[in-house]
Amino acid sequence: MLSSLYIENIAVIKKLELNFDKGFTVFTGETGAGKSIIIDSIRLILGARADKGLVRTGETEAYVSAVFTDVGEKFLQKLRHYDVKPDEEGNIILSRTITTDGKNKVKINGRTVPLGILQEAGSLLIGIHGQHDTVELLDPERHIEYLDMYAGVEDELEEFADVFSQMNMLKNKLKTESGWLRKKIDEAPKLKEQIKEIASADIKAGELKELDEKRIKLKNSEKLCKNVNAVYKTLYNSERAPGCVGLIKLATAALEKISGDVPNYEEYYEKLNNISLELEGIAMDIRNITDARDFDDPEYALEKIEERIDLIEKLRRKYGPDEKDILEYRQNGEKTLKKIEVVARECEEIKQKLAKLSEKAFQMAARITEKRKKAAEELEGNITRELVYLDLEKVRFKVNIEKSLMQNGGLKLQPNGCDVVEFLISPNTGEDLKPLAKVASGGEMSRVMMAFRCIFANRYGIPSMIFDEIDTGVSGKTSEKIGIKLRQISSGDSQVFCVTHSSQVSACATTHLKIAKKEVDGRTETYVTVLDMESRIEELSRIMGGIEITENIRKTAREMIENTEKTIKNL
């Protein structure tokens, strides 16, 4: 619970320290006395946006701190997550400093933390209910959150959200891959033709350079061919006469026939044979300078080379600046065709996974829907009873649950299931059920919100609640009943604060704080007084009375407090 609050240099508050107990505490006072400033200070400690205009005139900074005791395990788990610990007594101290230059200093138990952590921590310690809650309650999109809180389906929704998230991830992946697949399948026939064209050309890296060099040789082939052929024919072969190699072979054969008559025959035979082999090698090396066919018919060879160069140039214009790029284009194309097959299989697998997850999600959603329907009936009864108690005797309240549908009429999965929830109300006999925003007046909405706060008090899991002028638009016995309800809420584990202008609500308090202001050294300052019984009677008399407070008004105020206490004891 909120044990103490310290405020310094916030608007008209110079210094103010308040200590609180459990139970129902009300703040009353004249308009402008500083009630809203106290609430704004509490909002600051909960992480609300800091307006430097809140800093008291003439000061450079403002400071707010709050001490919380008996914090719950949920809150302690959150603190442990951020490596923040309670003090030795188990207390939590939140503090915040704001300056006129817009800077913030935020601390939890003396440790500086980001504002976001303060907001998270604060949301688990205090709930402030006021105008914002009325707007929230009028928003149909928020109604399902109230129903789910009442139904206690947090675990089911968390499991469903996990499946829904998996489905979305798979859908996004399927969308991306199927989009790529459709595009590539359309391109595949052309790609296959291109791969076939490159493959049939059977080009090699560096081939164009080789062809160009060969072309140059062929263009200069006349002189080269003449002399190469001359060397070759002289040494090895000639159509008209044998070359040197042939003549030596003839000589060797003749020598062999007279081998018996020639001294040193083996020596001469070996020398002639070696000369023959050497000359044959020279002839072949020279001959290899040219291709026999090309140089036999250089015009034909040059034509074939030009055709080959033209083919490669054509492929270069289509697929890349050189043979390497052309070959890479083919490789990439083949990879793309293989990837098409892989992605097609993956898409089918994703579709199968989605089908299974979808079936699971619909089953989970159906179970959530059943729990919602069961909870809706109970919530309708409880809210109706609360509203009847708050003097809407003829009210009808309904939790309308419809299926969320797609345009084709099929059931639509949403992050929280397959339901659309809206609260409907008919305040008076004979009126049809209609959305809250279209039916309820300001006073009716105050009572509807009060009914929700009563029903949901234990479900919020927040130890302290502040109701900022919850009684707006109501008066008389309805105000008294609102006060009694707030007192009842505080009798459990909740600590309840209320800013009010209602004497009936004030009469229900266990602690009554009066907010007033005074002039000190030419400056206005807010101060707070804890009222005893007599002071409470005077304050209630002020709220009820006119210009002059009479003894009859004081008597009525006393009776109001006494009767309220009797009523609460008899509940």
Side-chain angles (χ1 to χ4, degrees):
M1 73 170 191
L2 176 61
S3 177
S4 65
L5 176 69
Y6 178 77
I7 306 169
E8 184 174 336
N9 293 331
I10 299 287
V12 294
I13 298 177
K14 182 174 178 58
K15 286 185 181 180
L16 183 64
E17 185 170 3
L18 301 172
N19 296 307
F20 304 109
D21 291 321
K22 288 185 178 181
F24 177 31
T25 300
V26 297
F27 297 92
T28 62
E30 297 283 358
T31 300
K35 299 186 296 297
S36 62
I37 297 172
I38 294 175
I39 301 302
D40 286 342
S41 298
I42 295 175
R43 290 183 190 276
L44 284 175
I45 212 67
L46 301 181
R49 178 179 174 273
D51 183 352
K52 61 184 180 180
L54 285 173
V55 179
R56 182 174 171 83
T57 301
E59 303 293 340
T60 58
E61 66 178 31
Y63 176 78
V64 183
S65 68
V67 178
F68 293 87
T69 58
D70 300 324
V71 295
E73 181 59 28
K74 184 177 180 181
F75 179 81
L76 291 176
Q77 287 179 355
K78 178 67 70 175
L79 284 190
R80 284 194 287 269
H81 177 72
Y82 294 114
D83 197 27
V84 178
K85 299 178 182 179
D87 65 14
E88 294 179 355
E89 297 178 355
N91 299 332
I92 300 297
I93 304 172
L94 307 183
S95 65
R96 187 174 182 185
T97 302
I98 60 174
T99 63
T100 52
D101 59 6
K103 294 181 179 180
N104 272 269
K105 296 178 184 177
V106 178
K107 294 183 179 182
I108 299 180
N109 280 32
R111 179 174 176 178
T112 301
V113 298
L115 183 61
I117 294 179
L118 183 68
Q119 292 169 339
E120 285 190 54
S123 67
L124 297 175
L125 293 172
I126 299 180
I128 299 180
H129 309 291
Q131 184 68 25
H132 169 73
D133 298 88
T134 302
V135 174
E136 185 178 284
L137 201 55
L138 291 174
D139 182 3
E141 293 186 2
R142 303 299 299 273
H143 293 176
I144 195 168
E145 297 175 18
Y146 283 93
L147 179 59
D148 288 342
M149 188 187 301
Y150 189 85
V153 291
E154 290 84 0
D155 292 341
E156 290 89 339
L157 284 173
E158 186 175 344
E159 292 175 7
F160 177 85
D162 182 57
V163 174
F164 188 80
S165 176
Q166 292 180 50
M167 290 179 65
N168 276 341
M169 289 174 62
L170 288 175
K171 285 178 180 178
N172 291 334
K173 185 176 180 181
L174 181 62
K175 182 180 178 181
T176 301
E177 293 200 353
S178 60
W180 180 89
L181 187 61
R182 283 192 299 270
K183 181 180 178 182
K184 293 303 178 183
I185 285 177
D186 290 341
E187 296 174 356
K190 181 180 179 181
L191 187 58
K192 289 178 180 178
E193 288 297 322
Q194 292 172 334
I195 292 171
K196 182 179 178 182
E197 181 182 27
I198 296 171
S200 63
D202 193 26
I203 64 172
K204 299 175 178 61
E207 183 180 355
L208 193 61
K209 181 179 179 182
E210 292 177 4
L211 289 170
D212 194 50
E213 291 173 352
K214 202 169 187 179
R215 179 172 59 179
I216 293 171
K217 288 181 179 180
L218 283 171
K219 287 182 177 179
N220 299 317
S221 64
E222 184 177 358
K223 178 181 177 182
L224 181 63
C225 286
K226 180 180 178 180
N227 290 287
V228 166
N229 284 335
V231 173
Y232 179 76
K233 290 176 180 180
T234 300
L235 293 177
Y236 191 73
N237 187 28
S238 175
E239 294 177 359
R240 296 179 182 179
C244 293
V245 174
L247 292 172
I248 291 173
K249 285 182 178 181
L250 289 174
T252 303
L255 180 62
E256 190 175 6
K257 291 177 181 180
I258 59 172
S259 60
D261 301 317
V262 177
N264 302 320
Y265 160 76
E266 289 84 356
E267 182 181 348
Y268 294 136
Y269 182 86
E270 185 179 353
K271 286 181 178 181
L272 287 174
N273 193 48
N274 288 339
I275 292 170
S276 173
L277 290 173
E278 188 173 351
L279 290 174
E280 184 178 353
I282 294 171
M284 291 303 174
D285 288 343
I286 297 299
R287 185 68 179 86
N288 287 337
I289 294 175
T290 64
D291 179 84
R293 181 180 175 186
D294 290 347
F295 287 96
D296 285 342
D297 190 353
E299 290 185 4
Y300 174 80
L302 189 60
E303 180 182 345
K304 290 301 179 182
I305 288 174
E306 293 291 355
E307 288 178 359
R308 185 67 177 168
I309 289 174
D310 287 343
L311 174 62
I312 296 174
E313 290 291 351
K314 177 183 176 183
L315 295 176
R316 286 176 62 189
R317 288 192 295 271
K318 284 185 177 182
Y319 307 117
D322 57 36
E323 300 96 313
K324 183 180 177 182
D325 295 301
I326 297 168
L327 293 171
E328 284 183 358
Y329 189 93
R330 175 188 173 183
Q331 292 173 352
N332 291 335
E334 290 171 341
K335 288 179 182 178
T336 297
L337 293 177
K338 289 181 181 178
K339 186 177 178 180
I340 288 173
E341 296 176 1
V342 172
V343 172
R345 286 196 300 270
E346 287 180 352
C347 286
E348 286 303 314
E349 291 173 359
I350 291 173
K351 289 177 183 178
Q352 293 174 9
K353 289 179 182 178
L354 272 173
K356 291 180 181 179
L357 284 174
S358 179
E359 182 181 0
K360 183 179 180 180
F362 278 116
Q363 291 173 351
M364 296 173 73
R367 291 193 291 270
I368 293 171
T369 296
E370 287 305 310
K371 286 195 172 185
R372 282 172 175 162
K373 288 181 177 179
K374 183 177 179 181
E377 293 181 6
E378 185 179 320
L379 181 60
E380 288 170 354
N382 287 335
I383 292 294
T384 299
R385 279 191 292 274
E386 293 293 336
L387 291 175
V388 168
Y389 175 80
L390 295 172
D391 295 330
L392 289 175
E393 293 89 352
K394 304 299 181 181
V395 72
R396 285 188 298 148
F397 177 83
K398 180 174 179 57
V399 180
N400 191 52
I401 303 177
E402 301 286 347
K403 291 296 181 185
S404 56
L405 301 175
M406 297 184 289
Q407 291 183 348
N408 62 7
L411 200 57
K412 180 182 179 182
L413 284 173
Q414 301 183 118
N416 54 8
C418 295
D419 302 315
V420 177
V421 176
E422 184 171 13
F423 298 150
L424 307 177
I425 192 170
S426 170
N428 303 302
T429 303
E431 294 181 5
D432 293 333
L433 287 164
K434 293 181 181 179
L436 284 176
K438 295 183 179 180
V439 176
S441 65
E444 289 166 343
M445 273 310 304
S446 293
R447 281 175 276 186
V448 170
M449 192 173 80
M450 189 69 247
F452 269 85
R453 295 297 166 248
C454 290
I455 298 301
F456 282 83
N458 294 327
R459 285 177 166 82
Y460 282 110
I462 300 173
S464 301
M465 289 185 283
I466 298 175
F467 293 88
D468 191 3
E469 299 188 6
I470 187 70
D471 52 348
T472 299
V474 296
S475 59
K477 68 174 183 177
T478 304
S479 295
E480 182 181 357
K481 289 180 177 180
I482 288 176
I484 291 172
K485 283 296 176 183
L486 292 173
R487 175 76 170 266
Q488 285 180 318
I489 294 173
S490 72
S491 64
D493 294 329
S494 298
Q495 179 188 36
V496 177
F497 301 89
C498 181
V499 176
T500 183
H501 292 286
S502 167
S503 58
Q504 289 88 350
V505 172
S506 301
C508 298
T510 55
T511 302
H512 191 153
L513 303 179
K514 181 180 178 181
I515 316 299
K517 57 186 179 181
K518 59 184 176 181
E519 186 177 315
V520 179
D521 298 330
R523 297 289 303 278
T524 300
E525 293 183 13
T526 292
Y527 66 98
V528 177
T529 304
V530 181
L531 303 183
D532 59 16
M533 184 61 173
E534 293 305 316
S535 299
R536 288 186 70 192
I537 292 170
E538 287 300 314
E539 178 63 5
L540 263 63
S541 299
R542 180 195 66 78
I543 296 171
M544 291 187 297
I547 297 175
E548 183 179 352
I549 298 175
T550 65
E551 285 303 318
N552 286 334
I553 293 176
R554 291 188 178 93
K555 181 180 179 181
T556 300
R558 182 184 295 275
E559 290 175 351
M560 184 182 295
I561 295 172
E562 292 172 350
N563 291 337
T564 297
E565 290 298 323
K566 289 179 183 178
T567 300
I568 291 172
K569 286 181 181 179
N570 293 329
L571 289 177

